[in-house]
Every structure is written in C-alpha cells, then in structure tokens.
C-alpha cells in the first residue's frame, strides 16, 4: 500500500507520545490524511454504522472542509476577526459562515499555536491499512468563560483487529488531545452495551441522550 500523502488534518504532535508507545508492535497512530480514502478508512467506519457510497471527490471535499476550519481559525485569531467564511466555499455544501470558528477565546491557543475544530485520527497496521479511527469535534461556547467542549465521535476498529486494545488507545489519544487544546470537558454517546468500556476509560454516565432524526 502506498504511504500516506498530503497534509494531515491536524498537527501530529497533538497525539500523546505515551499512547503511541503503548500501541502493539507494528502499529502506528497519526492524523487523518486525504489519501486515507484508499487505505480503508471508510471500510473501518462501516463496522460502526452506514456510510453510503462516498466517491473520492466527495471524500476530498469533506476533508478539505475540515482542514479549512482549522486554517480559518488561525487567520481569524491572527487578524482579530473578520473575513467571513469565504475560505470554506466549495467544500461539499458545508459553507455556513466559517463553521463558527475563531472567537479568540482563552484556551483557543496553547503556546501561540492555533488549532481547528475537527481532529480525526487513524490507527494503521504495518502495511499502512487503516484499522481503527476516532474523532474529536471541539465546540466553542459562550458559557464557562468562552470555554470549549470536546465531543468524541465515530470510534471504530476493524473486526479482524479487535481485542488488541486499539479502541482504548484511540480514546486515550483523543482525551489527551482534548485537554491539550483547552477543552474543559469531553463528552460522548454510547450504547449501554459499551458503557463498561468507557467507564474503564475514565468516563461516567451523565444524563440522557435525546435524538431527532430527519429524513
């Protein structure tokens, strides 16, 4: 399999060194790249839920939208606002004024660095195939002194790779990342069957999930 190409979705140093060291021999963890379309990323997500028929063109548009959110944050923080959301046009229809980015809140920067909204990472086996994934979405709020909340989403491990604690490592990496970029808490949804796993990861039951599906 060809090595990953193109820029990463977020800076690689935001992945915990201790988590990387705890991976099984021959496995790696890194930020998502556009080339992961051909490395089996969508096949891993199909273990979790319906994915649909996603063409490479649509995949690349969605990836570029996610990256653009981070780039827009950097520009707004450096320039003190303004600029609208023009940098996100043409990204698969996801053009809603810049995704609510760049409020300039405390916690948006760590050591002068600016981070984005979407942090999707992948676990790869030695040959480069994606065998696990998980994501963090950072929500910027007006409450808690313009605080930020992390939402862990889409944790999935290929069926032939389960039992190697890859899911645990993904959660640990996302947890570490959320704290590093300034989130005051991280939340996630899970089934009752998976509650015990997340309790072992340091999470606790907090309320009730509600959903309203459309279409």
């Amino acid at each position: 399999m060809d090595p990953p190409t193109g820029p990463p979705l977020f800076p690689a140093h935001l992945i915990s060194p201790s988590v990387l060291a705890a991976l099984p021999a021959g496995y790696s963890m890194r930020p998502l790249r556009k080339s992961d379309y051909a490395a089996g990323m969508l096949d891993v997500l199909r273990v979790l839920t319906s994915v649909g028929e996603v063409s490479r063109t649509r995949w690349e548009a969605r990836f570029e939208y996610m990256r653009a959110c981070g780039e827009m944050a950097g520009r707004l923080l450096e320039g003190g606002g303004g600029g609208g959301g023009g940098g996100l046009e043409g990204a698969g229809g996801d053009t809603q004024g810049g995704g609510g980015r760049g409020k300039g809140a405390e916690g948006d920067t760590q050591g002068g660095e600016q981070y984005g909204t979407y942090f999707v990472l992948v676990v790869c086996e030695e040959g480069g195939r994606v065998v696990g994934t998980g994501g963090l979405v950072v929500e910027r709020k007006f409450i808690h002194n313009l605080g930020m909340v992390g939402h862990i989403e889409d944790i999935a491990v290929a069926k032939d790779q389960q039992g190697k604690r890859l899911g645990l490592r993904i959660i640990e990496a996302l947890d570490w990342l959320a704290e590093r970029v300034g989130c005051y808490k991280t939340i996630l949804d899970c089934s009752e069957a998976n509650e015990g796993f997340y309790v072992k990861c340091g999470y606790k039951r907090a309320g009730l999930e509600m959903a309203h599906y459309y279409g």
Side-chain angles (χ1 to χ4, degrees):
M1 185 171 293
D2 294 334
T5 58
L9 184 60
F10 62 90
H13 71 262
L14 291 176
I15 297 179
S16 165
S18 63
V19 171
L20 294 176
L23 290 169
Y27 288 76
S28 61
M29 180 183 288
R30 58 172 175 76
L32 182 73
R33 292 178 182 264
K34 190 188 297 186
S35 58
D36 288 324
Y37 180 87
M41 174 66 172
L42 295 181
D43 291 334
V44 173
L45 288 174
R46 289 187 177 97
V47 174
L48 179 67
T49 189
S50 171
V51 173
E53 297 301 320
V54 179
S55 69
R56 186 158 200 149
T57 298
R58 293 176 63 206
W59 159 276
E60 291 182 352
R62 179 54 51 89
F63 179 90
E64 290 299 340
Y65 170 81
M66 291 179 170
R67 283 196 69 242
C69 286
E71 293 174 352
M72 181 66 69
R75 289 196 294 270
L76 290 177
L77 288 172
E78 290 170 2
L88 303 182
E89 292 180 359
D94 290 336
T95 55
Q96 298 295 323
R101 303 288 302 113
K103 301 297 186 205
E106 286 185 19
D108 278 10
T109 60
Q110 295 284 327
E113 297 172 287
Q114 292 115 8
Y115 303 120
T117 299
Y118 298 98
F119 302 86
V120 181
L121 56 79
V122 295
V123 175
C124 300
E125 63 180 2
E126 195 166 11
R129 179 174 69 106
V130 173
V131 296
T133 185
L136 174 77
V137 180
V138 175
E139 175 191 6
R140 284 159 171 79
K141 306 177 78 70
F142 287 107
I143 61 173
H144 293 290
N145 193 29
L146 301 183
M148 298 189 294
V149 174
H151 298 262
I152 287 182
E153 301 282 351
D154 301 339
I155 306 298
V157 176
K159 289 184 178 180
D160 65 341
Q161 300 291 319
Q162 294 176 8
K164 299 180 180 180
R165 310 190 80 184
L166 299 181
L168 172 63
R169 302 308 174 209
I170 292 170
I171 292 293
E172 289 175 339
L174 295 174
D175 230 11
W176 191 87
L177 195 162
E179 185 175 13
R180 183 168 175 81
V181 300
C183 295
Y184 70 87
K185 72 174 180 179
T186 301
I187 58 180
L188 57 81
D189 296 323
C190 72
S191 66
E192 289 192 11
N194 290 328
E195 181 179 0
F197 167 74
Y198 289 107
V199 168
K200 292 179 181 178
C201 295
Y203 287 79
K204 61 182 179 181
R205 184 182 288 243
L208 176 69
E209 175 194 1
M210 304 291 288
H212 188 176
Y213 293 93
Y214 305 98

